Amino acid sequence: MALAVAAALLVFTVWAREPAIAAIERPDPARFDRRQVASGAALARIGNCASCHTVSGGRVYAGGTPIRTPFGTIHGSNITPDPETGIGTWSYEAFARSMREGVGRDGSHLYPAFPYDRLRHTGEADLRALYAFLMTRDAVRAEPPANTLVPPLGWRPVLAGWKLLALPRRAPQAPQPQLGKLWERGRYLGEGLAHCGSCHSPRGILQQELRDRAYAGGWSDGWYAPPLDATSPAVRAWTTQRLYAYFRTGLSTAHAAAAGPMGPVTHNLARTPGGDVRALAAYYAWTMRDAPAARAEPALPDRAALAARRHPAGAALFRGACAACHEPGAAMMAAGRPDLRLGSPLHEDNPRDTVQIILQGLEPPVEPNGPYMPGYADTLTDAQIAAITAYMRARWGSGPDWGDIEQAVADARDGSSK
Ligand code: HEC
Ligand code: HEC
Ligand code: HEC
């Protein structure tokens, strides 16, 4: 028996092995074409590479960023051209293989916390530009901390099994030439490099993205990334123009501000060539074309008296802590900040985003003088946040009452997904 297991393990390990690609001398940064490097910089913003490869306050792309998964914490690698701790010895072929197959230069399998299931749809010229951009950054010597994963996931060969079972084979969305060039550019970027579906799609038990339910809503770092399909909970249509403004400024005056993990996405898109942002806007307006708000925008009630009767404690807390900014007529709203009724959080099928924004507040996502809200994690208890949330849902939200909100606050505090 033990022998059979050992033999099976041996066969598996041999099957799972990928060859190493020879190390090279770090290429001379002066050899890369300047325009190619500039194009790589723009693509790196669309791919949010810095979000997962930079620790807050640390050197850009030097890695060490903790990424929490249900199986433990994985750290973003150092992708500066440092020869020992970064990718300085990686040839273009090694880099392209990592982006397409999730295999490191030495042949080891990489965790899908690195979204190569999406990045792999990036074309050759764009991968070359990304490589030129990364290889011309400052080399930073920095070793990321060790991952803490439940056994046996620390053993990388098991990832070959994961790829076999869970790496989606189906192309994310076939091209449709009749929909035009802008749509096609949006499809290419959104379904690949920008990996919008990594956060906005549900995942299966192996944490694989469920491609047949793409954009039906997913989880990211303890936040809920709402649907971007016909089930979008938005109460105002996400048109191309509104999406464009949201991506460029971090704020849609017909919806709300970009909070949580969506903040850095808009921060980067604000610094991306406008044509690519317009293409993404056109494409996602299309994925949400059958959403309720795209057909008719409902009148939005303000059930103030009813909500206060049902949730007196929540109403009192709201008056004390939130009304100065959020009561209809408040100065902030006169200055063009949206009404709480318009944002999707109060219309979602779970309270997570409402709770997270109360806990963490909002840093201006794009420009320092953008929308700001203080966080209440240290000043309000779980029960108080649950009371305010229930009150706001009853006053401005749609859909049935949310279930155990206090539990949702506890889950949000420890960053779990769901
Ligand atoms: C959602 C988070 C995330 C994003 C976005 C992301 N990465 Fe990563 N990346 C990771 C993680 C985590 C690893 C480490 C995987 C491992 O250790 O198995 C990694 C590994 C890599 C590696 C392999 C490095 C090595 O030493 O093995 C390269 C190259 C890389 N990323 C490049 C990129 C580029 C280029 C982008 C932007 C287009 C990008 N990544 C975007 C999370 C991310
Ligand atoms: C790292 C995870 C992540 C990525 C990547 C991401 N999003 Fe988001 N997105 C979120 C979260 C979380 C929210 C909800 C935040 C909030 O309530 O402000 C959100 C909100 C949104 C909204 C607002 C929806 C609504 O009805 O309020 C839109 C539109 C959106 N994202 C589009 C995109 C597009 C397009 C991309 C790719 C270019 C993208 N997102 C990439 C996590 C992500
Ligand atoms: C200093 C002003 C200020 C205070 C005080 C404040 N907020 Fe906010 N809040 C904002 C701004 C600015 C935004 C971003 C604009 C937007 O999304 O509507 C925001 C956004 C929100 C959102 C998300 C809007 C959406 O639909 O996505 C919720 C929910 C929210 N606030 C709830 C609260 C609650 C509850 C309190 C009190 C505990 C509170 N806020 C206190 C300024 C404030």
Side-chain angles (χ1 to χ4, degrees):
M1 181 68 186
L3 253 170
V5 170
L9 261 175
L10 187 71
V11 169
F12 176 80
T13 315
V14 169
W15 168 78
R17 204 156 65 202
E18 294 286 346
I21 293 180
I24 58 164
E25 287 285 318
R26 179 186 169 184
D28 176 2
R31 262 190 25 219
F32 292 98
D33 176 65
R34 290 246 289 284
R35 265 181 318 193
Q36 195 184 31
V37 172
S39 145
L43 294 164
R45 279 191 210 102
I46 295 175
N48 290 319
C49 315
S51 299
C52 297
H53 288 282
T54 310
V55 282
S56 73
R59 300 281 300 273
V60 70
Y61 300 121
T65 335
I67 295 164
R68 292 173 30 148
T69 77
F71 311 115
T73 300
I74 298 172
H75 296 88
S77 338
N78 178 348
I79 53 170
T80 72
D82 181 61
E84 268 130 53
T85 59
I87 59 168
T89 59
W90 290 38
S91 60
Y92 168 73
E93 286 66 34
F95 172 74
R97 182 175 70 168
S98 74
M99 298 279 284
R100 291 193 182 121
E101 308 297 332
V103 175
R105 188 193 64 75
D106 64 0
S108 52
H109 290 284
L110 298 172
Y111 292 102
F114 171 28
Y116 51 80
D117 60 330
R118 288 276 174 188
L119 304 181
R120 66 195 321 216
H121 303 298
T122 305
E124 173 84 14
D126 286 351
L127 284 182
R128 285 196 182 272
L130 278 165
Y131 179 73
F133 170 70
L134 290 175
M135 287 317 226
T136 48
R137 298 309 89 201
D138 288 342
V140 180
R141 216 191 135 74
E143 195 83 62
N147 297 331
T148 48
L149 289 164
V150 297
L153 298 182
W155 192 56
R156 290 182 180 265
V158 298
L159 292 168
W162 182 86
K163 288 176 183 174
L164 190 69
L165 295 172
L167 192 61
R169 249 150 280 274
R170 256 189 26 191
Q173 159 73 48
Q176 299 202 43
Q178 76 281 10
L179 293 175
K181 282 214 173 70
L182 196 65
W183 181 94
E184 171 52 24
R185 180 74 183 156
R187 180 199 71 86
Y188 167 73
L189 292 172
E191 298 291 351
L193 191 60
H195 64 277
C196 313
S198 296
C199 294
H200 286 277
S201 302
R203 290 180 183 269
I205 47 167
L206 296 174
Q207 281 303 297
Q208 83 283 19
E209 218 188 280
L210 299 176
R211 285 276 169 91
D212 51 353
R213 294 182 54 211
Y215 303 119
W219 295 85
S220 167
D221 207 15
W223 290 70
Y224 180 63
L228 302 179
D229 62 6
T231 64
S232 159
V235 289
R236 291 290 173 265
W238 278 112
T239 60
T240 303
Q241 286 75 7
R242 287 168 176 174
L243 282 166
Y244 182 81
Y246 179 70
F247 295 154
R248 292 301 260 200
T249 64
L251 182 78
S252 161
T253 52
H255 301 87
M262 192 59 198
V265 175
T266 58
H267 179 93
N268 287 333
L269 290 179
R271 290 157 179 82
T272 296
D276 283 347
V277 180
R278 197 167 295 287
L280 283 166
Y283 182 69
Y284 287 97
W286 177 83
T287 66
M288 291 187 269
R289 69 197 178 285
D290 292 326
R295 291 193 295 269
E297 297 185 340
L300 296 173
D302 184 349
R303 298 172 293 254
L306 174 80
R309 262 200 319 280
R310 287 187 54 209
H311 304 285
L317 284 161
F318 184 87
R319 219 174 303 121
C322 327
C325 292
H326 286 300
E327 190 59 33
M332 178 184 99
M333 282 158 60
R337 296 281 188 266
D339 187 315
L340 277 187
R341 282 179 289 188
L342 296 175
S344 296
L346 289 174
H347 307 279
E348 286 168 5
D349 62 10
N350 69 75
R352 184 64 71 87
D353 287 338
T354 304
V355 164
Q356 281 289 26
I357 200 164
I358 300 173
L359 284 170
Q360 301 190 23
L362 181 84
E363 290 294 327
V366 168
E367 296 294 346
N369 62 352
Y372 166 80
M373 169 173 154
Y376 295 86
D378 300 331
T379 47
L380 295 176
T381 64
D382 291 10
Q384 288 174 319
I385 292 175
I388 301 179
T389 302
Y391 166 75
M392 290 195 299
R393 171 81 161 179
R395 182 168 172 188
W396 291 302
S398 48
D401 285 356
W402 282 320
D404 190 346
I405 304 179
E406 234 181 291
Q407 183 60 49
V409 181
D411 289 346
R413 282 194 197 265
D414 71 36
S416 72
S417 50
K418 257 174 236 157

